[in-house]
Amino acid sequence: MAPEIDLMQLAEKVLDSATSLGAEWCDVGVRTGRHIGVSLEKTAVKEADSGQGESASVRAFINGAMGFAQCHGLDEDRLLNAARRAVGMAREGTPDPDFRGLPLPEAAEEVTGLYDERLAAMSVREVVDLAVANIRQARQMEPQVNLSGHVSMSSGDGVLVSSTGIRLARRRTSLEVDMEAVISRGDDKGYYYEFDGGRVLEDCHGEGVAAAAIEAARRMLGARAMPSGRMPVVLGPLAAIDFLEQLVGAASAESIQRERSFLAGRRGQKIGSNWLTVIDDPFVPRGLHSGQYDGEGAARRKITIFDSGVFRTMLHNSYTAGKAGEPNNGRGSRSGGISPTNMQITLGQRTEAELISEVKDGLYIPMSQFSANPTTGDLSASVDFGFRIIDGCIAYPIEGAMVAGNMLQLAESIDGVSSDYRIEPGAKLPSMRIADVQIAGSADC
């Protein structure tokens, strides 16, 4: 049996090698992990796989130029070679005067519930059984359903060390289940997608995901066209968070500094209605996106991104914070990029049903895939899942419609957030109503 590898000791040895080769700044990440995955197709198990993975990455900086190298496996010679490659690339890179340095060691608020021993101990049989339970339930509900999806478990240990003195060790687990259901009634088809997940077993109710997808797919049967026009749109929890992710993504300091964000130059300004308040909290126990430190080892902070419609805070990594001369709030990743953690939306006083009841003629969207132009904020998206609202009631599912507008105009038009919500580990996802939206439907209606 191979001796157990001391990840911290190995990472420090690679760090020492990179700095001795001339790296002015450097960090090293080393990770081991276990994964079990089951794929479903045509309401049957297609394949199941499991494996143990080991990997490492090295970032080296010289005159602000970065070299990045990765390797699989934890053979010491491979890791030392990765250090040589990273330093070599940094030496050949273009100097960047905006680089100020890597994060310094800093204490951060404790976060609990990110690792579950029982979940980490799950066997291939148990993960397969979870997939089979969804198949069995799906066939009982709809014998001819076409069900596809995935069930996956992952657990991992990792360390991060840096030339600034950071020494971090992390353990993570997660269990994820996603299912797509297609139901046919002659030429009529209903389709929907559902999912669940968590860092601990109690937070993932994976046995009922297929049933939820089928129930929603049934509601999509009989879809028909709706007329074009400007109207209120109620976004269900998943559509609302999709919309807000577009807004929060534009608050990335990286995009703003490159003037590739529709929020560039708007910090401190009111960019949405009073209903728009979003706090990003990385310290929620058992949150899917929780953690004390970001991918660079910077201490994370709880921040208010939008406050009653006012754009307050950009999301920073070490580079953008240094360039701006501002505190780093810890939203960076090792491979580059910036992302939020657990977005918390201030709830309203009325339920989703009450928001719908106040709409004379409009649209309800339970789930969406919005993709706005990141620079202009212009949005044009098909409505794959939608329902016509008539006289305050859900009337019928629709097809062939599109949403058009600009993210800032839509944000200004938010006129309600629900008091009820969907719970995902780390966040409560309410519904949201936008008062004035251009819908492109059918001219024949």
Side-chain angles (χ1 to χ4, degrees), residues 8 17 28 66 80 92 119 148 166 183 199 202 227 244 307 316 379:
M8 187 69 73
S17 175
V28 179
M66 182 182 78
L80 294 175
E92 296 298 322
L119 198 157
S148 59
I166 286 175
I183 299 172
R199 292 199 176 277
E202 290 89 344
L244 291 173
D307 182 9
H316 278 300
L379 173 68

Side-chain angles (χ1 to χ4, degrees), residues 48 83 86 131 170 190 398:
R170 319 180 198 198
I398 62 100

Side-chain angles (χ1 to χ4, degrees), residues 188-393:
D188 190 11
K189 291 186 183 296
Y191 160 78
Y192 206 76
Y193 166 86
E194 227 351 309
F195 64 93
D196 199 1
R199 292 199 176 277
V200 299
L201 278 173
E202 290 89 344
D203 290 344
C204 185
H205 310 289
E207 298 86 352
V209 173
I214 289 172
E215 289 174 358
R218 286 170 173 168
R219 291 194 291 271
M220 296 304 301
L221 290 166
R224 56 186 192 264
M226 68 175 290
S228 300
R230 302 196 70 88
M231 62 188 68
V233 171
V234 178
L235 302 176
L238 296 179
I241 197 65
D242 187 33
F243 174 78
L244 291 173
E245 284 174 349
Q246 300 292 307
L247 286 174
V248 171
S252 161
E254 183 177 43
S255 299
I256 289 173
Q257 289 174 353
R258 294 179 178 179
E259 296 189 350
R260 297 177 181 173
S261 167
F262 57 82
L263 291 181
R266 296 181 181 272
R267 190 161 59 154
Q269 299 179 12
K270 195 170 178 63
I271 60 93
S273 80
N274 289 337
W275 291 101
L276 180 62
T277 295
V278 180
I279 295 170
D280 194 48
D281 186 355
F283 306 119
V284 183
R286 291 155 56 161
L288 286 171
H289 305 289
S290 293
Q292 292 175 274
Y293 300 93
D294 72 1
E296 300 182 298
R300 283 177 162 159
R301 290 173 171 80
K302 183 178 179 179
I303 57 175
T304 299
I305 303 172
F306 304 113
D307 182 9
S308 297
V310 177
F311 174 28
R312 295 292 188 196
T313 310
M314 293 190 294
L315 279 63
H316 278 300
N317 60 16
S318 62
Y319 178 86
T320 62
K323 184 175 181 178
E326 297 180 354
N328 182 2
N329 48 45
R331 266 51 181 193
S333 66
R334 281 186 53 70
S335 58
I338 295 173
S339 58
T341 61
N342 305 298
M343 292 190 292
Q344 313 294 310
I345 305 137
T346 298
L347 304 176
Q349 292 78 44
R350 293 170 293 173
T351 65
E352 180 191 79
E354 289 173 310
L355 293 178
I356 293 172
S357 71
E358 297 167 352
V359 176
K360 178 73 173 175
D361 184 9
L363 182 63
Y364 175 72
I365 303 177
M367 182 186 291
S368 64
Q369 290 183 323
F370 293 137
S371 183
N373 183 303
T375 303
T376 66
D378 291 335
L379 173 68
S380 179
S382 62
V383 180
D384 295 323
F385 309 103
F387 295 85
R388 180 85 180 274
I389 301 173
I390 299 176
D391 293 330
C393 297

Side-chain angles (χ1 to χ4, degrees), residues 9-24 26 28 58 60 76-88 91 161:
Q9 186 179 67
L10 181 60
E12 288 181 339
K13 187 167 187 175
V14 177
L15 177 68
D16 290 342
S17 175
T19 53
S20 68
L21 290 168
E24 298 169 347
C26 181
V28 179
V58 182
E76 186 175 308
D77 289 340
R78 288 187 184 182
L79 271 69
L80 294 175
N81 182 53
R84 287 190 289 272
R85 287 187 286 120
V87 173
R91 187 172 285 114
V161 303

